[in-house]
Amino acid sequence: MFDPKAEAMSLDERAALQRHRLWGLVDRLVAAGGVQGRRLKESGVTRGSDVHLKDLHSLPFTTKQDLWDNYPFGMLAVPQEQVVAVHGSSGTRGRPTLVAYTRADLDLWAAMCARSLSCAGATSDSIVHNAYGYGLFTGGIGIHQGTVALGATVVPMSGGMTERQIRMITDLKPDILTCTPAYALRLGEAAAEAGADLSSLKAGVFGAEPWSEELRTAIEDVLPIKAVDIYGLSEIIGPGVATECLEQDGLHVNEDHFIVETVDPATGEPVAEGEPGELVFTTPTKQALPLLRYRTGDIATLTRGECPCGRTLARMSKIRGRVDDMLVIRGVNVYPSEVERVLLGSGLVVPHYQLVVDRRDEAAVRLIVACETAETAGTAGAAATAATAATAGTAGTADSGDPVQALAAALKADLGLHADVSVLPPGTVPRVEVGKAVRVVTWESGDAPLPGLA
């Protein structure tokens, strides 16, 4: 552990720490005024001591709309001259979401990412090959700062240039790989095609997009690693909010700095432990842009109890999906990650696919599952598919005749989803070189988004 005192703290001690930090946050928000301070006063809260952890669910939410309405610096809780960095989302949904950091915020972020790397077994002797993108996106610089805080060596590759990435891994022999899961898969397949030796790698820390257990199996088959999930979002701090340890049994939430809840996305009411709900975070120790009960839109479950690794932090599941990413196809609600689980678990599909929502006829919206099967995708892809099927216990599905019919039947049986399956030639589905995998596209008019679709 990077910080054993905090990560293995007793539950009572952590609750007391959270309570005092929450009181300090409320005092700061009330003093700063702004939208969060006004809402607290309107709810009858005028000082921190008015609030108790058990009553947190009664306090007002903060949302992304608040950040947009007060863009770019309207929600600062410190004078602007104390801001030393700005990061944020790329604005793929229409506008960027910017988050400011003080120097203390950057130090906190670095420590959280150092915890994440330690979860994956990294030490001060490690070499971390960092293939997350650098820039406004928080992935690259967050892991970079965390590696430095850990005292390890960082290789700041950023994304893309796959051939050079493989060369640097073979030359420098890092033990830790950090990137998106989709790009990890791409690196593993490219290394196999090149005959490159990546045996120095021991673990990978993969995030920035939801990914399934079946994709984990595929990645671990093409890379000699244990693949662990890391979670974060710019509004909270960036990567480092929560990370799996090598037990691979849930992501440890750094609760001493990020108080986590799960709520019903429709009603906002708390859900029971172990039940899926929308993640809500409160950031009591952030300075520039502290947030009270921020609704992330991410769906996961929370469980508590000590992990075999010794950490006592709450654990969150892998992200099931986002509230605003849910697909509604012929009356069936489904998250893309659920479709991925069925596809990769079937033993018929390599981890290269795209979900095409065909809206050319709004009266008859349909889902086209465009994929490459083990038979069409080549040796490396076939090996990954076989391993995924074996782990999922579905290897027999691969021998069940027509893959189109088999996959359509599996989606119907598991998810109640009617989908048109299209098996495409190898290389048709775009491979990730930079950024996140594009798993869902919409077809509204004109030519098909992928060759061979009708």
Side-chain angles (χ1 to χ4, degrees), residues 368-410:
I368 305 172
V369 178
C371 53
E372 300 170 17
T373 68
E375 292 181 357
T376 65
T379 304
T385 302
T388 302
T391 300
T394 56
T397 309
D399 300 319
S400 57
D402 182 4
V404 171
Q405 293 183 5
L407 289 169

Side-chain angles (χ1 to χ4, degrees), residues 224-283:
I225 61 170
K226 269 205 164 187
V228 302
D229 200 349
I230 184 172
Y231 174 79
L233 61 164
S234 302
E235 301 95 306
I236 302 305
I237 203 165
V241 174
T243 315
E244 284 181 317
C245 66
L246 294 175
E247 296 291 332
Q248 298 175 312
D249 186 26
L251 289 77
H252 295 284
V253 181
N254 289 313
E255 295 180 276
D256 48 331
H257 296 286
F258 312 113
I259 303 173
V260 62
E261 311 167 66
T262 44
V263 302
D264 184 307
T267 67
E269 293 300 313
V271 301
E273 181 175 318
E275 293 295 319
E278 180 181 357
L279 292 170
V280 175
F281 285 99
T282 295
T283 62

Side-chain angles (χ1 to χ4, degrees), residues 96-336:
T97 303
L98 293 185
V99 179
Y101 298 76
T102 65
R103 189 173 301 279
D105 290 334
L106 292 182
D107 290 342
L108 170 62
W109 186 17
M112 297 302 97
C113 287
R115 287 189 192 183
S116 296
L117 291 165
S118 295
C119 275
T123 70
S124 59
D125 295 328
S126 291
I127 298 176
V128 178
H129 184 98
N130 186 16
Y132 282 115
Y134 284 66
L136 271 182
F137 172 60
T138 54
I141 194 66
I143 294 297
H144 186 117
Q145 293 173 142
T147 305
V148 173
L150 184 61
T153 301
V154 62
V155 183
M157 287 299 299
S158 193
M161 301 180 294
T162 299
E163 184 177 343
R164 182 178 294 182
Q165 301 259 7
I166 293 171
R167 174 63 185 269
M168 294 303 286
I169 293 173
T170 57
D171 288 353
L172 297 180
K173 300 188 181 339
D175 55 317
I176 305 293
L177 172 65
T178 61
C179 60
T180 65
Y183 192 56
L185 186 71
R186 169 69 182 133
L187 281 173
E189 292 179 345
E193 292 165 4
D197 179 10
L198 306 188
S199 60
S200 68
L201 293 173
K202 305 303 179 188
V205 182
F206 306 133
E209 59 189 6
W211 54 297
S212 64
E213 289 294 336
E214 289 75 15
L215 185 54
R216 189 205 305 269
T217 301
I219 292 171
E220 290 182 344
D221 187 64
V222 296
L223 289 171
I225 61 170
K226 269 205 164 187
V228 302
D229 200 349
I230 184 172
Y231 174 79
L233 61 164
S234 302
E235 301 95 306
I236 302 305
I237 203 165
V241 174
T243 315
E244 284 181 317
C245 66
L246 294 175
E247 296 291 332
Q248 298 175 312
D249 186 26
L251 289 77
H252 295 284
V253 181
N254 289 313
E255 295 180 276
D256 48 331
H257 296 286
F258 312 113
I259 303 173
V260 62
E261 311 167 66
T262 44
V263 302
D264 184 307
T267 67
E269 293 300 313
V271 301
E273 181 175 318
E275 293 295 319
E278 180 181 357
L279 292 170
V280 175
F281 285 99
T282 295
T283 62
T285 58
K286 279 184 63 182
Q287 293 186 348
L289 188 62
L291 295 176
L292 179 69
R293 302 198 74 212
Y294 182 77
R295 298 187 67 156
T296 66
D298 293 325
I299 304 297
T301 62
L302 287 178
T303 56
R304 302 187 183 275
E306 186 173 345
C307 177
C309 75
R311 293 175 177 85
T312 57
L313 301 162
R315 280 174 283 173
M316 56 175 270
S317 68
K318 280 181 166 293
I319 298 299
R320 180 180 175 186
R322 285 190 53 79
V323 173
D324 49 4
D325 282 348
M326 179 180 282
L327 303 176
V328 182
I329 307 296
R330 301 178 187 175
V332 176
N333 297 346
V334 63
Y335 292 110

